[in-house]
Amino acid sequence: MSKRSGEFVTLRELYEDVGVDAARFFFLALPGDTPMTFNVDLAKKQTDENPVFYVQMAHARLSGIFRIAGREPERVTGELEPAHLPAIQDTELLKKLLVFPEIVDKAARERAPHRLTVYLRELATAVHGWYHHTRVLGAPEGQPTEQARLLLARAARVVLANGLRVLGISAPDRM
């Protein structure tokens, strides 16, 4: 694409090439007054390097926990007892979830959707770390920990889905 030579790509062509979700995430990831270089190759990648794929994969992984358990996430209810979350990754994920309302409020007040994309990437990092370092189903610490982690997984799944929905991006259950 070159302004000088008169070559350009329409937004429709970009959507068709990289997908609506990737294009939206990339455009919303930076403050509006920041110059942007759109990396089409990165936007097409289905790897952890692609920020929208990384966030959507976190949601899909959490959905997979419930699929394997044979339970609907909405049917996992109860009180979340922090005492039943012994791993540091449990605590880190829980702390990250608790700031979501503040992030949404600040992003809306400042008209700064990039704050939400930054938060979602950080939350996805916490989810992936938690997913790889803790065991949810059949938790070795016992049934109370399994139940607490299922509740934590449900909460993280809801926050990821809501954050993506605010940005107009899908939250797939499988990838």
Side-chain angles (χ1 to χ4, degrees), residues 9 25 49 74 86 91 96 107 118 120 128 160:
V9 175
F25 197 93
E49 295 174 62
E74 296 76 24
T91 305
K96 191 50 113 172
V118 168
L120 289 173
H128 290 297
L160 283 166

Side-chain angles (χ1 to χ4, degrees), residues 1 14 22-23 26-27 29-31 34-43:
M1 186 159 89
L14 183 64
F26 275 70
F27 281 123
L30 295 172
T34 303
M36 177 184 199
T37 301
F38 195 99
N39 187 336
V40 173
D41 294 329
L42 178 61

Side-chain angles (χ1 to χ4, degrees), residues 41-60:
D41 294 329
L42 178 61
K44 287 180 178 181
K45 283 186 178 181
Q46 299 219 345
T47 67
D48 289 350
E49 295 174 62
N50 180 337
V52 70
F53 181 85
Y54 187 66
V55 172
Q56 289 175 321
M57 179 54 83
H59 183 271

